[in-house]
Amino acid sequence: MSALRRRLWVPVVLSYAAFILVGVSAGVAGVLLPAQIDDYGLDKATIGTTFFTFSAGFMLAGSNAGPLIHRFGVRTTLVVGCGAYVLAGLVTAARPPFLALVAVQLIVGYGTGLIESVLNVYLADLPGATTLLNRLHAFFGVGALLGPLLATWMLGHLPWTAVWLVLALAGLPLIVGFRLALPAREVHAVPEGSEARETSRHTASGRGLLGATSREPAVLLGAAFLAVYVGLEISVGNWGFSFLVDGRGQGDLLAGYTVSAYWLGLTLGRFLISPIAVRLGMTDIGMTFACLAGVTAGAMLAWSLPGPVAAVVSFVLLGFFLGPIFPTTMAVAPRLTAARLVPTAIGLLNGVSVVGGAVFPWLAGTIAEGIGPWTLPPFAAALALLQLVLWWQVARRMTTPSTNPRSIRTEDQGAI
């Protein structure tokens, strides 16, 4: 193992652990929703307001992650993100009044958004970045797989607030780990010439970086694409349990395991599809189109075929083909904008994407409340078709790897 790999091994492992925790948080959300609805005496549309405050916090984190990294460095920004997550988790575990629960989701979203955005930026700068990013998001799937199992088991013995207490305590070692494992500042080489002067000027002003990035059409289309993606992923993850129990008559335990199978498919897709696509000679663009077709097929299968076996198969297929879409988009982010704007672009992509994670799950819950829980699969199919249109537009504006200096990766050096 080279000296570089030895130095980066601990931070990379901590990054994977942080994404496992983020995945667990996403995985428990859908299982906790019925318990929260009963506890607070609310309907699905009202409890869905927590999606919006979480989204606002996450988007805020994504929009200022790049400037924070430039000003304070990766280590400090990560410690702030983990600290916000732990604090909000402890408040949630105290079972606050509903309005306070809605408000604290802003802090949960901000902490989660900083963790995700900063780690995407950090790993995108390392050798073997594409492999590292796919593994990073695969470990999110590991956490999301474990989350429903953890929540289902704990709800059989404890109130829903105990789940959040466990999540908050699990975040404490990450604060210590990142504080010890990362240097105080990451040193980045500044290019020579006029672009160096422009980079320094923008680095001094976070608004300059964000403003320049938000005017890039390819970045905006990529953000819209990921907003629909996250909306679809979280809609199925959050409301899949209710769909299976209320729409298909499954028991709570079987429904919880089926949702876990969905997250298992997501994890396997991120570990397996990209290597298979490389062997087949597929490009990132072609692989994503194929995955979107698979997502549409999985949603149609869940809609058209009754029975528990069909539900498990369709949920696994949905997760499997959804899996590579987000990390692949992050991996090609250097092909969407200029090299100096890539860290801010990654934060913006990550931050805006969660808007879909609020709007579309809320819409799915509202439709289910008014029409019936059976509407989840056709809703997912509609979002998959919208993704196809948006990805086509993104692909048209994507540069080739050789035209963007930041996209020239030293993949032969291997991943950590």
Side-chain angles (χ1 to χ4, degrees):
M1 181 180 288
S2 67
L4 176 64
R5 293 189 183 186
R6 285 195 300 270
R7 180 171 63 85
L8 297 177
W9 181 82
V10 173
V12 169
V13 170
L14 283 172
S15 300
Y16 293 160
F19 258 62
I20 290 175
L21 179 60
V22 171
V24 171
S25 298
V28 303
V31 179
L32 295 184
L33 277 175
Q36 292 172 328
I37 289 172
D38 291 341
D39 188 10
Y40 287 102
L42 305 171
D43 58 23
K44 293 177 180 177
T46 304
I47 199 71
T49 56
T50 58
F51 302 157
F52 287 97
T53 49
F54 178 91
S55 173
F58 197 102
M59 187 175 181
L60 177 63
S63 66
N64 66 16
L68 283 175
I69 291 172
H70 283 291
R71 183 175 178 84
F72 300 109
V74 167
R75 185 180 75 178
T76 299
T77 309
L78 272 176
V79 169
V80 169
C82 293
Y85 177 90
V86 169
L87 174 63
L90 292 174
V91 173
T92 304
R95 204 274 183 193
F98 178 68
L99 290 180
L101 177 70
V102 173
V104 81
Q105 293 307 302
L106 185 73
I107 304 175
V108 177
Y110 187 79
T112 304
L114 276 186
I115 293 169
E116 290 194 20
S117 296
V118 175
L119 290 179
N120 274 296
V121 171
Y122 176 67
L123 294 186
D125 255 346
L126 300 183
T130 300
T131 299
L132 291 173
L133 284 168
N134 274 280
R135 288 178 184 169
L136 180 73
H137 290 274
F139 280 107
F140 172 92
V142 171
L145 166 65
L146 297 174
L149 297 175
L150 173 68
T152 301
W153 176 76
M154 290 189 68
L155 287 177
H157 309 277
L158 299 166
W160 67 268
T161 52
V163 178
W164 265 105
L165 178 61
V166 170
L167 295 179
L169 295 178
L172 291 174
L174 293 176
I175 297 176
V176 177
F178 283 125
R179 180 66 178 78
L180 296 177
L182 290 172
R185 297 283 300 182
E186 291 293 317
V187 179
H188 299 280
V190 179
E192 298 179 357
S194 61
E195 187 174 359
R197 291 189 295 272
E198 186 178 8
T199 300
S200 299
R201 176 166 53 83
H202 282 292
T203 298
S205 171
R207 289 175 295 180
L209 287 168
L210 183 60
T213 306
S214 62
R215 290 191 294 270
E216 294 281 334
V219 174
L220 294 178
L221 281 168
F225 171 74
L226 288 182
V228 178
Y229 165 85
V230 174
L232 173 54
E233 177 191 296
I234 301 301
S235 292
V236 176
N238 279 3
W239 296 116
F241 184 85
S242 299
F243 162 73
L244 293 167
V245 173
D246 299 334
R248 291 293 173 85
Q250 289 189 7
D252 289 356
L253 187 61
L254 179 58
Y257 288 155
T258 302
V259 175
S260 291
Y262 164 74
W263 294 114
L264 174 62
L266 190 90
T267 304
L268 293 177
R270 287 173 175 170
F271 278 123
L272 298 177
I273 290 180
S274 182
I276 293 173
V278 170
R279 287 180 176 273
L280 295 177
M282 298 178 68
T283 64
D284 291 335
I285 294 174
M287 181 188 73
T288 303
F289 275 123
C291 288
L292 292 172
V295 170
T296 306
M300 296 302 294
L301 180 65
W303 186 12
S304 58
L305 295 181
V309 175
V312 173
V313 172
S314 61
F315 270 61
V316 170
L317 287 177
L318 272 170
F320 185 74
F321 287 111
L322 276 170
I325 294 174
F326 195 102
T328 300
T329 306
M330 287 295 176
V332 301
R335 298 169 60 185
L336 302 180
T337 188
R340 65 182 173 84
L341 299 178
V342 169
T344 306
I346 290 176
L348 189 63
L349 286 170
N350 202 46
V352 173
S353 70
V354 83
V355 175
V359 173
F360 291 111
W362 173 83
L363 182 59
T366 302
I367 292 173
E369 187 79 28
I371 301 176
W374 63 269
T375 54
L376 181 63
F379 182 81
L383 293 186
L385 292 174
L386 179 57
Q387 282 188 103
L388 279 166
V389 174
L390 289 170
W391 182 248
W392 175 61
Q393 292 294 325
V394 172
R396 290 177 58 201
R397 290 165 173 80
M398 199 179 296
T399 63
T400 58
S402 60
T403 62
N404 191 327
R406 192 180 179 96
S407 65
I408 301 175
R409 294 292 181 188
T410 54
E411 296 294 341
D412 56 317
Q413 295 181 33
I416 305 302

